Amino acid sequence: MKKISFRRTLAVILAVFSSVAAMGQQTKGETDWMKELSSRITLNGYAQAGYSWQDANGKQVNDFNLKRTLLWAKAKITDRWSFLFMHDFSSVVQEFYTDYRITNDNALTFRIGQFKNSFSMENPLSPTVLELIDVCSQGVTYLAGCGSDPLHGKNYGRDLGAMVMGDVLNNKLHYEFAVMNGQGINKRDGNNNKDLIAKLELRPIDGLRLVVSGQKGKGHAIGTAAWNPEIKEGDDYRRDRYSVGAEYKMGSFAPGKYKEARPLSIRGEWLGGRDGKVDSRGGYLTACVPLTQGIDLVASYDYFDRNGKEYGWEQTNITAGLQYWFYKKCRMQLQYTRAIRGFQLGDDYNWLQAQMQVAF
């Protein structure tokens, strides 16, 4: 699989940003083109670092870690057309795509490039707002391609492709439909089959959303998995996914100001998939309860079975912890997880994590 050139991608980014600057220069002479440029380009970023201790399989392991250091720029070329570039300095280029809003309202927008796939409720969400330090549930991590799948590799839940999306029926219904490579980030497709991903989100009342999503496609194995030994490296195999879930948020909410106003939230989802002839399944229920100014209680129950036909590949994570929002989108987190494992995955273990998040 041929990797996409970072230099080529960067050249495209600079060309687009230069065109935005040129637009500013073409305005009336008295207009400050730098002001025009700054009004059209926004910069955001965040870093997450912390400490982890485990006693898995009879061995104690502890370390300080730097998980993510992301910076992204978004250029508003016109009122309908925008461009985004995101890079993780502790990893690789994460996203680069352009959006074009076709309708006057938000009923139809077209996106092409590299971006997060639409599968599940958690995958499209930013790690800066997800409650768990380990970010997504086990099922989402595995099935959406965020990591832990030897056949698919670690692709951070992102892929290359094109998508149409929009909000209709007075914003009561949100839809997304994408055609993607299915191979993951920064890589050419390993086969000639494209993956289809669809999502429907119903919002019947304020704070409640009901979501279904699915994926139909073929994977190209980059390795082998102990729980799915029939698929060998280089094989093309059936790779399908489905999810159904709901989330309810109650209370005031100020975007980006979690210290000042945060809702009580509860989110649950059941997910499944098929890789070749092997089925996997799982579900989670996560709650976040504001206690006092800036402090939340977090609790989660998370179950996932990598091979639903063969005993011993399941794991249950039970997590409890606290988080403190000390400034806007910045927080401190402390969480304890008890992992209950099937015998082929090893013994049960304890996991203690702490993390600081700085975001702007």
Side-chain angles (χ1 to χ4, degrees), residues 117-118 124 163-166 174-178 197-200:
N117 66 61
S118 300
M163 179 170 69
V164 291
M165 56 187 172
H174 175 79
Y175 71 91
E176 298 178 12
F177 179 76
I197 302 178
K199 171 183 283 184
L200 286 176

Side-chain angles (χ1 to χ4, degrees), residues 64-344:
F64 291 97
N65 54 72
L66 179 62
K67 291 187 176 181
R68 300 167 192 89
T69 51
L70 278 84
L71 179 67
W72 64 94
K74 185 173 182 178
K76 186 177 180 182
I77 303 171
T78 70
D79 290 340
R80 292 175 180 262
W81 184 21
S82 65
F83 181 85
L84 183 141
F85 176 78
M86 176 186 290
H87 182 66
D88 186 345
F89 290 95
S90 62
S91 181
V92 294
V93 175
Q94 298 283 307
E95 299 183 18
F96 47 93
Y97 62 82
T98 184
D99 284 345
Y100 185 79
R101 180 168 52 83
I102 298 172
T103 56
N104 291 329
D105 56 12
N106 293 323
L108 180 61
T109 296
F110 176 73
R111 172 178 294 178
I112 187 168
Q114 178 169 289
F115 47 89
K116 280 192 173 184
N117 66 61
S118 300
F119 176 72
S120 81
M121 298 178 69
E122 285 191 328
N123 185 57
L125 297 176
S126 168
T128 60
V129 299
L130 285 168
E131 300 85 358
L132 299 183
I133 293 176
D134 207 35
V135 187
C136 294
S137 68
Q138 298 176 90
V140 173
T141 299
Y142 181 89
L143 295 168
C146 302
S148 78
D149 181 359
L151 301 177
H152 187 64
K154 186 175 183 180
N155 290 293
Y156 308 95
R158 294 172 170 90
D159 203 354
L160 283 152
M163 179 170 69
V164 291
M165 56 187 172
D167 298 296
V168 295
L169 302 178
N170 294 321
N171 295 324
K172 296 293 185 181
L173 181 66
H174 175 79
Y175 71 91
E176 298 178 12
F177 179 76
V179 180
M180 313 198 80
N181 276 347
Q183 200 66 54
I185 63 173
N186 305 330
K187 295 189 290 288
R188 297 285 296 274
D189 202 347
N191 55 42
N192 288 323
N193 299 94
K194 295 296 171 279
D195 286 20
L196 304 178
I197 302 178
K199 171 183 283 184
L200 286 176
E201 179 176 316
L202 180 64
R203 306 159 180 165
I205 60 174
D206 290 344
L208 176 64
R209 61 189 186 117
L210 310 173
V211 184
V212 295
S213 66
Q215 176 177 345
K216 180 73 177 177
K218 277 195 173 182
H220 181 79
I222 65 170
T224 59
W227 53 87
N228 199 348
E230 291 188 11
I231 301 175
K232 308 299 182 183
E233 183 178 348
D235 288 350
D236 292 337
Y237 63 97
R238 177 180 177 180
R239 189 171 186 273
D240 300 337
R241 277 56 182 139
Y242 71 88
S243 75
V244 55
E247 180 183 61
Y248 182 63
K249 292 184 176 182
M250 181 178 66
S252 60
F253 177 61
K257 297 183 179 181
Y258 300 99
K259 183 177 175 61
E260 292 82 2
R262 305 172 317 287
L264 181 151
S265 66
I266 183 167
R267 182 177 62 257
E269 194 169 18
W270 182 259
L271 315 97
R274 172 166 289 186
D275 295 283
K277 298 179 181 179
V278 171
D279 295 321
S280 53
R281 59 195 179 190
Y284 67 89
L285 184 66
T286 299
C288 184
V289 182
L291 299 179
T292 185
Q293 285 194 351
I295 299 178
D296 300 333
L297 172 67
V298 174
S300 178
Y301 178 89
D302 175 17
Y303 167 80
F304 186 62
D305 188 352
R306 290 160 180 78
N307 187 331
K309 299 178 181 179
E310 183 179 336
Y311 175 72
W313 294 111
E314 70 271 18
Q315 178 168 327
T316 300
N317 290 343
I318 302 173
T319 301
L322 295 171
Q323 62 184 10
Y324 171 56
W325 298 92
F326 58 90
Y327 181 72
K328 292 186 177 180
K329 295 187 286 186
C330 303
R331 63 180 170 177
M332 300 288 294
Q333 297 169 277
L334 179 64
Q335 293 175 5
Y336 165 76
T337 299
R338 176 64 176 174
I340 304 168
R341 313 178 78 176
F343 72 93
Q344 297 195 61

